[in-house]
Amino acid sequence: MSILWIGWELFINLLEEGMFCYLLTKTLGYKKDKVVRLYLGFFLLIIFTTILNVAVQHTNIVILLLLLADIVFSTFCFTSNHSSRFFWGCSASVIGILSNTVVFSMVSFFTNYDLNTLTVPSTIRIQMTLIYLVVCSVFYFTIIELSSKKAILLPRVLQIVLFILLSLGIVASDMLIGLSISIPGNQITSKLGFIGVVYLSVLLGCIFLFEALGDYYHKNTALTMQLREASLLENHLENIQVSMKTLRQWKHDYHHHTQAMQMLLENQQYNELNTYLAQFNSDFTNLTSMVSTGNPTLDAILSSKILIAKSHGITVEQTIFLPEKPSIPQTDLCIVLGNLLDNAIEACNKPNQQQLPYINITIKIHKGMLYFKVVNSSNGIYLFDNKKLISTKKHPEHGYGFHNINKIVENYGGFFNYEPENNSFAATIMIPFQREEEEK
């Protein structure tokens, strides 16, 4: 075998083992301080695989040695428990066998080519190898999507379209191989073979591009949520500073308040005293409206929204009891609570209500579930789309609140219930509760 074909085998092994390593990083994870070990193990795995494919002719021996090498690589270069590392270490061999089976079956179906001649360097072998990589990539990225605990990186419709295009591309490639074999003439065969190689290379590149775009989209979404969380915490800090300033002023003026009330009492000016006490109590209530649950994000979102509601003259009552920190990411808490309270404040500010605006907030652990309930006053006007409740906001950029809430709740295996009534609206969210240490 020439140097060029050895280089080709090295390149193919680089792509295949790269997909395997990418799968392990997504499913097992690795320590950043051990990244040198990871790169070294990846390099040795590629060299070892290339030597086996070039030097060893017995297929069963090659499969067995590659299986052992993959298990050693996953065991020493990645984290997680031993059983998980062993399981995912075996995945490369399983995917390789499945991909070979798919490729050989399709070639046998669409062509009359002798599969035993694929060991000889040729254009047909290059095409077959690229088809094998395309099938491998489909298996790898499908497993990554299914095993991920997070949201799907690519939208579902885009995944279906990509799968259809890949299937059509693989079938077209096999038919092109059959056409190049059946047509006599070395020049035509070479041109068809070159077209097939370019086509498969572009197809394989598109797969990697789609996965990369999905990964970047996911990271961008996470960064957006982090920025929103940082903004909430900043607002929470500002609210605390305002409250502390008000507290110092209240403490400084406390003696004057008691003197004024004492004077009104001695002069039997009871109406003025009641008015004074009402104003005094209102100032004290606003001062103590800061929420403290032990969860900074929850405190930030609740405190800021309660202050906004009270600034609009909305009466807010809250019952919050969270004995332990839940494992739900803070960004998801921001989305759920932020949208629930925004919708409640918006509803309370609408005209034609038959009662004074109010919001009742309940957050607790109920029957092993994280329980959220927000009840607010309403004018009884709602909009529905296919029996689904939607926002009544006029601007087109709004209206995704309920959709975002429902998506997060369903992602954690919970459920939601909305009760639109003539004078009130109730939103109930229940998500399976899991302690943070259990999640780890």
Side-chain angles (χ1 to χ4, degrees):
M1 186 176 288
S2 66
I3 299 297
L4 290 178
W5 282 107
I6 294 177
W8 171 254
E9 289 290 338
L10 186 64
F11 174 71
I12 295 302
N13 291 330
L14 173 64
L15 293 179
E16 185 176 2
E17 298 301 340
M19 288 187 287
F20 174 55
C21 184
Y22 183 66
L23 171 66
L24 295 182
T25 57
K26 291 293 185 180
T27 54
L28 298 178
Y30 64 95
K31 295 181 179 179
K32 293 183 179 180
D33 57 344
K34 304 294 184 181
V35 68
V36 176
R37 177 192 296 180
L38 175 61
Y39 285 129
L40 179 60
F42 179 64
F43 173 77
L44 294 176
L45 184 62
I46 294 173
I47 299 299
F48 181 72
T49 304
T50 304
I51 293 174
L52 285 180
N53 290 334
V54 173
V56 181
Q57 300 298 324
H58 201 287
T59 304
N60 292 333
I61 295 178
V62 173
I63 293 176
L64 178 60
L65 292 178
L66 286 179
L67 175 61
L68 294 176
D70 292 335
I71 294 175
V72 171
F73 175 63
S74 62
T75 301
F76 287 95
C77 297
F78 293 89
T79 55
S80 190
N81 55 64
H82 291 287
S83 59
S84 296
R85 283 179 284 177
F86 177 81
F87 173 80
W88 291 110
C90 298
S91 62
S93 297
V94 176
I95 293 175
I97 294 173
L98 290 176
S99 300
N100 271 321
T101 302
V102 172
V103 172
F104 288 149
S105 299
M106 295 186 69
V107 171
S108 300
F109 181 80
F110 289 103
T111 71
N112 296 320
Y113 196 71
D114 185 6
L115 300 179
N116 294 324
T117 60
L118 291 178
T119 57
V120 180
S122 63
T123 305
I124 301 299
R125 181 180 177 182
I126 293 177
Q127 291 178 310
M128 291 287 296
T129 306
L130 289 175
I131 294 176
Y132 168 79
L133 285 177
V134 171
V135 175
C136 272
S137 64
V138 172
F139 278 120
Y140 275 114
F141 293 137
T142 301
I143 293 174
I144 290 172
E145 297 288 354
L146 294 178
S147 62
S148 176
K149 294 181 180 180
K150 301 182 181 299
I152 299 298
L153 301 185
L154 291 177
R156 183 68 63 185
V157 176
L158 187 57
Q159 290 184 20
I160 296 174
V161 172
L162 179 60
F163 176 78
I164 294 174
L165 291 177
L166 290 176
S167 301
L168 293 176
I170 294 173
V171 171
S173 301
D174 282 326
M175 296 178 68
L176 187 60
I177 292 176
L179 185 62
S180 63
I181 294 172
S182 61
I183 296 178
N186 293 331
Q187 187 175 2
I188 297 178
T189 302
S190 299
K191 289 182 179 180
L192 289 175
F194 177 74
I195 293 173
V197 170
V198 173
Y199 176 76
L200 287 170
S201 300
V202 172
L203 190 63
L204 185 61
C206 289
I207 295 175
F208 292 135
L209 178 61
F210 272 105
E211 176 64 21
L213 289 176
D215 199 22
Y216 281 123
Y217 173 79
H218 178 74
K219 291 178 180 179
N220 183 64
T221 303
L223 180 60
T224 302
M225 292 297 99
Q226 291 176 3
L227 291 175
R228 180 175 180 178
E229 180 184 344
S231 176
L232 288 171
L233 293 177
E234 183 178 357
N235 291 336
H236 184 49
L237 179 60
E238 292 177 357
N239 292 334
I240 291 176
Q241 291 175 345
V242 171
S243 295
M244 291 301 297
K245 182 179 179 180
T246 306
L247 180 61
R248 287 193 296 267
Q249 293 176 349
W250 184 82
K251 183 178 179 181
H252 179 268
D253 297 334
Y254 175 75
H255 181 66
H256 302 294
H257 288 308
T258 55
Q259 284 185 334
M261 288 186 288
Q262 181 68 30
M263 184 178 297
L264 292 173
L265 181 62
E266 292 177 354
N267 294 333
Q268 298 182 354
Q269 295 176 295
Y270 301 118
N271 292 333
E272 289 81 358
L273 179 60
N274 286 333
T275 303
Y276 195 97
L277 283 172
Q279 182 62 42
F280 183 83
N281 183 64
S282 176
D283 293 340
F284 184 78
T285 301
N286 291 331
L287 174 66
T288 57
S289 62
M290 302 300 296
V291 179
S292 178
T293 65
N295 187 319
T297 302
L298 198 61
D299 295 343
I301 191 71
L302 287 172
S303 298
S304 61
K305 298 301 181 183
I306 289 175
L307 286 175
I308 292 173
K310 289 186 175 181
S311 68
H312 288 277
I314 302 172
T315 301
V316 180
E317 295 184 1
Q318 59 194 44
T319 302
I320 302 173
F321 180 70
L322 285 179
E324 300 176 69
K325 186 176 180 180
S327 62
I328 301 176
Q330 297 184 356
T331 52
D332 289 341
L333 279 177
C334 285
I335 295 174
V336 172
L337 279 175
N339 281 293
L340 284 177
L341 295 176
D342 284 342
N343 291 336
I345 294 173
E346 180 202 4
C348 289
N349 286 329
K350 289 181 179 179
N352 302 324
Q353 299 203 28
Q354 301 179 3
Q355 55 187 326
L356 294 176
Y358 69 88
I359 298 176
N360 295 335
I361 305 170
T362 303
I363 303 176
K364 62 182 180 179
I365 305 299
H366 179 66
K367 296 182 179 180
M369 306 282 282
L370 187 57
Y371 177 89
F372 301 91
K373 185 169 185 177
V374 177
V375 182
N376 57 266
S377 58
S378 173
N379 60 3
I381 300 176
Y382 308 99
L383 292 181
F384 296 88
D385 183 14
N386 294 327
K387 297 183 179 181
K388 291 184 178 180
L389 187 68
I390 60 175
S391 174
T392 57
K393 297 177 182 177
K394 297 180 180 180
H395 302 289
E397 66 270 15
H398 295 298
Y400 296 102
F402 291 115
H403 172 74
N404 292 336
I405 294 173
N406 300 346
K407 184 177 179 180
I408 291 176
V409 173
E410 291 174 347
N411 186 46
Y412 289 102
F415 62 90
F416 50 85
N417 182 45
Y418 303 118
E419 302 175 62
E421 304 291 346
N422 292 331
N423 298 322
S424 65
F425 179 84
T428 303
I429 305 294
M430 297 188 73
I431 301 174
F433 178 75
Q434 187 176 22
R435 298 174 179 82
E436 189 175 34
E437 57 269 16
E438 291 180 355
E439 176 74 10
K440 298 179 181 179

